[in-house]
Amino acid sequence: KKKKKKNYIFIWAYGKLLSNFKTIKSSMDKEKIIAELNRHKKLPYLDYRLKQETEDFTDTLFYTLFDANTPVAVNLELLEKKFSKLMDMACWDLEKPSEELWGNYISHLPQILENLNLDAEAILNCDPASLSIQEI
């Protein structure tokens, strides 16, 4: 009986040791994997907040240009702030001409909107499946 008890204890202790070794090895592997992932993330340096901020800017621009209930004057100010934030995130140049670029950018918006409206009207007139300008 004593020998069986020792065997059970030995098997239990060996199992615990093996389990701890796997946990340590797994932890070391995990640390190595994390270090490798972090090393590769830096080449090249990418900040994906830029993607989200750009999408937000584009959504705001869309509402400014097309939504009848969106106040253009208020949204232009909001767009300017978002534009400046994008410039800060995307441009590494020390001289950031964001005000000049912003002025140039918004000066083209009326013509762009006019062209888009003319395109939508042409599609409506030439596409028999089109029922209204809103669906285009």
Side-chain angles (χ1 to χ4, degrees):
K1 268 188 167 181
K2 218 176 192 184
K3 193 173 183 178
K4 280 187 179 180
K5 194 173 187 180
K6 282 184 181 179
N7 284 344
Y8 289 130
I9 291 172
F10 175 76
I11 292 169
W12 175 82
Y14 182 72
K16 282 298 243 179
L17 180 65
L18 198 56
S19 174
N20 287 341
F21 177 72
K22 286 180 181 176
T23 302
I24 292 168
K25 185 177 183 321
S26 174
S27 177
M28 286 173 40
D29 288 346
K30 212 182 279 186
E31 292 300 320
K32 184 178 177 185
I33 290 167
I34 291 169
E36 284 295 306
L37 289 172
N38 283 329
R39 186 174 69 83
H40 289 295
K41 277 177 71 169
K42 294 175 183 170
L43 303 170
Y45 177 77
L46 299 171
D47 186 348
Y48 282 98
R49 292 177 306 154
L50 181 60
K51 176 185 176 286
Q52 183 61 46
E53 294 295 331
T54 302
E55 290 171 357
D56 186 43
F57 176 86
T58 305
D59 287 343
T60 305
L61 178 62
F62 182 86
Y63 279 94
T64 303
L65 295 178
F66 298 108
D67 183 43
N69 297 312
T70 300
V72 173
V74 172
N75 265 33
L76 277 182
E77 287 183 32
L78 181 61
L79 281 166
E80 184 174 9
K81 289 176 186 170
K82 291 178 186 224
F83 186 86
S84 180
K85 186 175 182 178
L86 286 172
M87 290 289 292
D88 288 342
M89 291 175 73
C91 298
W92 299 304
D93 196 2
L94 295 176
E95 295 181 29
K96 298 176 184 169
S98 64
E99 286 181 31
E100 183 182 328
L101 278 173
W102 173 249
N104 190 26
Y105 182 81
I106 62 168
S107 71
H108 289 87
L109 290 180
Q111 186 63 50
I112 291 169
L113 183 56
E114 182 180 354
N115 290 344
L116 288 170
N117 286 334
L118 289 171
D119 287 349
E121 200 173 305
I123 291 168
L124 178 64
N125 292 333
C126 297
D127 184 358
S130 298
L131 303 174
S132 70
I133 198 86
Q134 287 82 6
E135 74 175 2
I136 297 171

Short mmCIF file of all heavy atoms in Angstrom, two decimals, residues 114-133 136:
data_model
loop_
_atom_site.label_atom_id
_atom_site.label_comp_id
_atom_site.label_asym_id
_atom_site.label_seq_id
_atom_site.Cartn_x
_atom_site.Cartn_y
_atom_site.Cartn_z
N GLU A 114 -21.62 70.94 -57.35
CA GLU A 114 -22.37 71.23 -58.56
C GLU A 114 -22.19 70.11 -59.59
O GLU A 114 -23.16 69.65 -60.20
CB GLU A 114 -21.94 72.57 -59.15
CG GLU A 114 -22.73 72.95 -60.40
CD GLU A 114 -22.30 74.28 -61.01
OE1 GLU A 114 -21.46 74.98 -60.43
OE2 GLU A 114 -22.82 74.60 -62.10
N ASN A 115 -20.95 69.67 -59.79
CA ASN A 115 -20.68 68.59 -60.74
C ASN A 115 -21.37 67.28 -60.34
O ASN A 115 -21.90 66.57 -61.19
CB ASN A 115 -19.17 68.36 -60.90
CG ASN A 115 -18.49 69.51 -61.61
OD1 ASN A 115 -19.13 70.34 -62.25
ND2 ASN A 115 -17.18 69.57 -61.48
N LEU A 116 -21.34 66.99 -59.05
CA LEU A 116 -22.02 65.78 -58.57
C LEU A 116 -23.53 65.86 -58.81
O LEU A 116 -24.16 64.88 -59.22
CB LEU A 116 -21.73 65.55 -57.08
CG LEU A 116 -20.31 65.10 -56.75
CD1 LEU A 116 -20.09 65.14 -55.24
CD2 LEU A 116 -20.03 63.72 -57.30
N ASN A 117 -24.10 67.02 -58.56
CA ASN A 117 -25.54 67.20 -58.80
C ASN A 117 -25.88 67.08 -60.29
O ASN A 117 -26.90 66.48 -60.65
CB ASN A 117 -26.02 68.54 -58.25
CG ASN A 117 -26.11 68.53 -56.73
OD1 ASN A 117 -26.29 67.48 -56.12
ND2 ASN A 117 -25.97 69.70 -56.14
N LEU A 118 -25.02 67.63 -61.14
CA LEU A 118 -25.24 67.51 -62.59
C LEU A 118 -25.12 66.06 -63.04
O LEU A 118 -25.91 65.59 -63.87
CB LEU A 118 -24.26 68.40 -63.36
CG LEU A 118 -24.49 69.91 -63.26
CD1 LEU A 118 -23.32 70.67 -63.89
CD2 LEU A 118 -25.81 70.28 -63.91
N ASP A 119 -24.15 65.34 -62.48
CA ASP A 119 -24.00 63.92 -62.80
C ASP A 119 -25.23 63.13 -62.37
O ASP A 119 -25.73 62.28 -63.12
CB ASP A 119 -22.75 63.33 -62.13
CG ASP A 119 -21.45 63.78 -62.76
OD1 ASP A 119 -21.49 64.38 -63.86
OD2 ASP A 119 -20.39 63.53 -62.15
N ALA A 120 -25.72 63.41 -61.19
CA ALA A 120 -26.90 62.71 -60.69
C ALA A 120 -28.12 63.00 -61.57
O ALA A 120 -28.90 62.10 -61.87
CB ALA A 120 -27.18 63.11 -59.24
N GLU A 121 -28.23 64.24 -62.00
CA GLU A 121 -29.35 64.62 -62.88
C GLU A 121 -29.25 63.89 -64.23
O GLU A 121 -30.24 63.40 -64.76
CB GLU A 121 -29.34 66.13 -63.10
CG GLU A 121 -30.66 66.70 -63.55
CD GLU A 121 -30.61 68.22 -63.58
OE1 GLU A 121 -30.29 68.83 -62.54
OE2 GLU A 121 -30.88 68.77 -64.66
N ALA A 122 -28.04 63.81 -64.76
CA ALA A 122 -27.83 63.11 -66.03
C ALA A 122 -28.15 61.62 -65.90
O ALA A 122 -28.77 61.03 -66.78
CB ALA A 122 -26.39 63.31 -66.51
N ILE A 123 -27.76 61.04 -64.79
CA ILE A 123 -28.07 59.62 -64.56
C ILE A 123 -29.57 59.42 -64.47
O ILE A 123 -30.13 58.50 -65.07
CB ILE A 123 -27.36 59.11 -63.28
CG1 ILE A 123 -25.85 59.06 -63.51
CG2 ILE A 123 -27.88 57.74 -62.86
CD1 ILE A 123 -25.03 58.85 -62.25
N LEU A 124 -30.24 60.32 -63.76
CA LEU A 124 -31.70 60.23 -63.62
C LEU A 124 -32.38 60.31 -64.99
O LEU A 124 -33.29 59.53 -65.28
CB LEU A 124 -32.22 61.34 -62.70
CG LEU A 124 -33.73 61.40 -62.50
CD1 LEU A 124 -34.24 60.15 -61.80
CD2 LEU A 124 -34.09 62.64 -61.70
N ASN A 125 -31.91 61.22 -65.82
CA ASN A 125 -32.53 61.41 -67.14
C ASN A 125 -32.20 60.28 -68.13
O ASN A 125 -32.97 60.05 -69.06
CB ASN A 125 -32.09 62.75 -67.75
CG ASN A 125 -32.65 63.91 -66.96
OD1 ASN A 125 -33.70 63.81 -66.32
ND2 ASN A 125 -31.94 65.03 -66.98
N CYS A 126 -31.08 59.60 -67.95
CA CYS A 126 -30.66 58.60 -68.93
C CYS A 126 -30.84 57.15 -68.48
O CYS A 126 -30.71 56.24 -69.29
CB CYS A 126 -29.19 58.83 -69.29
SG CYS A 126 -28.92 60.42 -70.09
N ASP A 127 -31.11 56.94 -67.23
CA ASP A 127 -31.28 55.58 -66.72
C ASP A 127 -32.76 55.32 -66.44
O ASP A 127 -33.32 55.87 -65.50
CB ASP A 127 -30.46 55.40 -65.45
CG ASP A 127 -30.51 53.97 -64.90
OD1 ASP A 127 -31.21 53.12 -65.48
OD2 ASP A 127 -29.85 53.72 -63.87
N PRO A 128 -33.40 54.50 -67.27
CA PRO A 128 -34.82 54.27 -67.08
C PRO A 128 -35.17 53.61 -65.74
O PRO A 128 -36.30 53.71 -65.28
CB PRO A 128 -35.21 53.34 -68.25
CG PRO A 128 -33.96 52.95 -68.91
CD PRO A 128 -32.84 53.77 -68.38
N ALA A 129 -34.21 52.96 -65.11
CA ALA A 129 -34.47 52.32 -63.82
C ALA A 129 -34.46 53.32 -62.66
O ALA A 129 -34.93 53.03 -61.57
CB ALA A 129 -33.45 51.24 -63.56
N SER A 130 -33.91 54.52 -62.90
CA SER A 130 -33.85 55.53 -61.85
C SER A 130 -35.20 56.17 -61.66
O SER A 130 -35.80 56.67 -62.61
CB SER A 130 -32.82 56.60 -62.19
OG SER A 130 -31.54 56.05 -62.29
N LEU A 131 -35.64 56.20 -60.42
CA LEU A 131 -36.95 56.78 -60.11
C LEU A 131 -36.87 58.19 -59.54
O LEU A 131 -37.80 58.96 -59.69
CB LEU A 131 -37.72 55.86 -59.15
CG LEU A 131 -37.94 54.43 -59.64
CD1 LEU A 131 -38.59 53.59 -58.56
CD2 LEU A 131 -38.78 54.43 -60.92
N SER A 132 -35.77 58.49 -58.84
CA SER A 132 -35.65 59.82 -58.22
C SER A 132 -34.18 60.19 -58.05
O SER A 132 -33.31 59.32 -58.04
CB SER A 132 -36.34 59.84 -56.84
OG SER A 132 -35.62 59.06 -55.93
N ILE A 133 -33.96 61.46 -57.86
CA ILE A 133 -32.59 61.96 -57.63
C ILE A 133 -32.05 61.47 -56.29
O ILE A 133 -30.85 61.26 -56.14
CB ILE A 133 -32.56 63.51 -57.77
CG1 ILE A 133 -31.11 64.01 -57.97
CG2 ILE A 133 -33.13 64.19 -56.55
CD1 ILE A 133 -30.69 63.98 -59.39
N ILE A 136 -30.16 58.17 -56.38
CA ILE A 136 -28.88 58.22 -57.07
C ILE A 136 -27.85 58.75 -56.12
O ILE A 136 -26.81 58.27 -55.93
CB ILE A 136 -28.95 59.10 -58.35
CG1 ILE A 136 -29.92 58.44 -59.30
CG2 ILE A 136 -27.58 59.28 -58.96
CD1 ILE A 136 -30.27 59.25 -60.48
#
